[in-house]
């Protein structure tokens, strides 16, 4: 069994800070679950162009407010607490936060730990792992 707390993970190198967001990666590939699980904060005003070509991701909004635009058809969906979106087609999208959002994110295949977006808004399949 694996038991961790967000507070302890946030104080460790499991917390990754990038441009417009930070993410605390609570479960990773090394945990052997077949997915990774993160608590991500999207900063107010962030406008993230993302395209997870190598991963499927689902994202549940815990708090805050924003929207997601599907770049395939231009549709914009509001995001508020209780909303989940799943990028089941590796959908190219733009994520915007009008108020800071806390999100619970699941990735399949699981992240190794240190991933940040490449210039296409994707994570590479290989990355440095977080130990411990
Ligand atoms: C919602 C989203 O895709 N944000 C970027 C960070 C990502 N969720 C992560 O690495 O945890």
């Amino acid at each position: 069994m694996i038991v961790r707390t967000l507070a302890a993970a946030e104080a460790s190198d499991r917390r990754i800070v990038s441009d417009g967001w930070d993410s605390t990666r609570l479960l990773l590939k090394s945990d052997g679950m077949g997915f990774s699980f993160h608590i991500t904060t999207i900063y107010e005003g962030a406008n993230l162009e993302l395209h997870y070509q190598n991963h499927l991701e689902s994202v549940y909004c815990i708090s805050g407010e924003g929207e997601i635009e599907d770049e395939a058809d231009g549709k914009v969906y509001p995001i508020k607490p209780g909303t989940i979106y799943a990028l089941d087609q590796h959908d190219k999208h733009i994520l915007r936060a009008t108020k800071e959002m806390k999100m619970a994110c699941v990735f399949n295949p699981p992240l190794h730990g240190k991933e940040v977006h490449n210039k296409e808004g994707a994570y590479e399949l290989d990355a440095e792992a977080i130990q411990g």
Side-chain angles (χ1 to χ4, degrees):
M1 187 183 295
I2 300 163
V3 180
R4 296 190 178 118
T5 67
L6 180 60
E10 280 176 338
S12 76
D13 61 357
R14 289 178 175 275
R15 181 166 180 267
I16 303 295
V17 181
S18 190
D19 201 13
W21 58 272
D22 65 66
S23 189
T24 300
R25 295 173 170 165
L26 286 166
L27 292 171
L28 287 163
K29 182 179 170 68
S30 57
D31 294 309
M33 298 294 289
F35 58 86
S36 58
F37 180 87
H38 325 155
I39 298 295
T40 297
T41 303
I42 310 290
Y43 303 154
E44 184 169 317
N47 187 82
L48 305 175
E49 292 191 45
L50 303 173
H51 190 194
Y52 293 119
Q53 297 163 64
N54 302 317
H55 299 85
L56 300 172
E57 185 196 25
S58 65
V59 179
Y60 176 81
C61 179
I62 299 165
S63 65
E65 194 178 281
E67 63 182 29
I68 182 169
E69 178 174 338
D70 182 343
E71 290 208 67
D73 59 12
K75 275 194 186 167
V76 177
Y77 302 88
I79 299 174
K80 58 185 185 182
T83 305
I84 189 169
Y85 63 84
L87 304 169
D88 61 327
Q89 306 293 322
H90 301 279
D91 312 79
K92 197 172 181 196
H93 62 287
I94 304 173
L95 181 63
R96 303 185 183 99
T98 45
K99 287 187 188 144
E100 179 180 283
M101 295 193 290
K102 295 277 181 194
M103 321 289 262
C105 310
V106 174
F107 277 76
N108 170 25
L111 298 198
H112 299 260
K114 295 280 193 186
E115 288 88 344
V116 290
H117 299 116
N118 66 19
K119 63 181 187 320
E120 287 166 351
Y123 292 144
E124 304 293 344
L125 273 175
D126 210 6
E128 192 186 338
I130 290 172
Q131 312 297 331

